[in-house]
Amino acid sequence: MTEEFRRAPRRKVSDNVPVIDTMTDRTVGRLSNVSETGMLLIANVPLVEDALYQFRFNIGDPKDPGAAIEVGAHLLWQDAAHASEQTWTGFRFITLLEDQMQQLREWLQAPDGSYE
């Protein structure tokens, strides 16, 4: 068992959760893991390191658009993935509405990564 040493523990996302750039309304990749402070995105489009992005993703009920979470995020690093044309990208959240932060916290704390 690996111990988590980050200040904000991350949770692996088991479902295919697309991440949408809200400025272009295009899918830029999918979530790999997420915490209260950031996320690991498997990007399938080129992204600019040290840039700011506005993203939307839904870790709740995919049929409920109100369950989507919107974040302002800062791209801290990126590294080529094993699959061609994919990049591992690490983001730090810089903006997140309080009600959506609570929604994220509930998902992170749920035993199976779902809402009660």
Side-chain angles (χ1 to χ4, degrees):
M1 170 99 113
T2 304
E3 279 192 57
E4 178 69 63
F5 292 106
R6 293 182 174 106
R7 280 180 270 177
R10 292 180 179 251
R11 181 175 202 143
K12 184 168 178 47
V13 178
S14 57
D15 295 328
N16 184 7
V17 177
V19 177
I20 311 297
D21 181 330
T22 62
M23 304 303 284
T24 63
D25 210 33
R26 292 182 56 209
T27 300
V28 295
R30 63 183 174 83
L31 277 180
S32 177
N33 66 46
V34 66
S35 75
E36 287 183 23
T37 60
M39 68 180 179
L40 178 63
L41 169 71
I42 302 171
N44 54 21
V45 299
L47 298 173
V48 178
E49 200 158 333
D50 200 32
L52 302 178
Y53 291 90
Q54 189 73 26
F55 293 131
R56 179 178 63 246
F57 54 88
N58 190 337
I59 53 175
D61 181 355
K63 295 178 181 127
D64 179 6
I69 293 175
E70 289 198 22
V71 298
H74 177 213
L75 177 52
L76 300 174
W77 60 268
Q78 51 187 337
D79 194 17
H82 294 294
S84 65
E85 299 184 21
Q86 288 187 339
T87 307
W88 296 98
T89 55
F91 286 90
R92 175 180 58 93
F93 296 153
I94 53 176
T95 59
L96 182 58
L97 295 175
E98 186 57 41
D99 62 329
Q100 293 182 350
M101 173 61 85
Q102 185 58 38
Q103 178 183 346
L104 179 59
R105 283 183 184 131
E106 289 173 11
W107 181 83
L108 289 166
Q109 294 170 0
D112 61 352
S114 64
Y115 293 103
E116 299 293 321

